[in-house]
């Protein structure tokens, strides 16, 4: 009987996570949808997620505020699997 080769994990493979994204006002208009699910690398920051989704050069997203799970977040905050990211562009009026 021949020994089966061991299967080693691929060190170049990167784990990914899914995050829920809710887009409001001008961000919703630019993205063409109000909600989405983004699959991002496991060590992804808010800014990285925005960039990977194709909105990194968007003036709307650059001026937006972010919430992660209902709490204020910055572009440097790291996302976790199952997080909800809210993209809140500046709102006019009162």
């Amino acid at each position: 009987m021949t020994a089966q080769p061991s299967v080693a994990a691929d060190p170049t493979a990167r784990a990914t996570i899914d995050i829920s994204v809710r887009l409001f006002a001008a961000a919703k208009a630019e993205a063409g949808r109000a909600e989405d699910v983004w699959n991002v690398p496991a060590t992804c920051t808010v800014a990285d997620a925005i960039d990977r989704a194709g909105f990194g050069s968007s003036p709307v997203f650059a001026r937006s505020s972010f919430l992660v799970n209902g709490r204020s977040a910055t572009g440097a905050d790291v996302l976790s699997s199952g997080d909800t990211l809210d993209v809140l562009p500046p709102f006019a009026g009162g």
Side-chain angles (χ1 to χ4, degrees), residues 4-5 11 15-16 19-20 26-28 30 38 49 55-57 61-63 65 71 75 78-80 86:
Q4 295 293 322
T16 61
I19 60 167
S20 298
K28 174 182 169 183
E30 186 166 326
W38 293 350
F55 301 111
S57 62
F61 282 75
R63 291 189 317 265
S65 298
R71 294 182 176 212
V78 176
L79 298 164
S80 297
D86 294 330

Side-chain angles (χ1 to χ4, degrees), residues 11-80:
T12 62
R14 298 190 71 177
T16 61
I17 59 172
D18 287 334
I19 60 167
S20 298
V21 182
R22 299 187 301 187
L23 304 142
F24 297 90
K28 174 182 169 183
E30 186 166 326
R33 58 198 170 280
E35 295 185 12
D36 206 351
V37 174
W38 293 350
N39 182 261
V40 298
T43 58
C44 196
T45 65
V46 170
D48 292 337
I50 298 296
D51 190 50
R52 290 181 64 81
F55 301 111
S57 62
S58 164
V60 171
F61 282 75
R63 291 189 317 265
S64 292
S65 298
F66 305 102
L67 300 176
V68 175
N69 301 328
R71 294 182 176 212
S72 182
T74 69
D77 287 330
V78 176
L79 298 164
S80 297

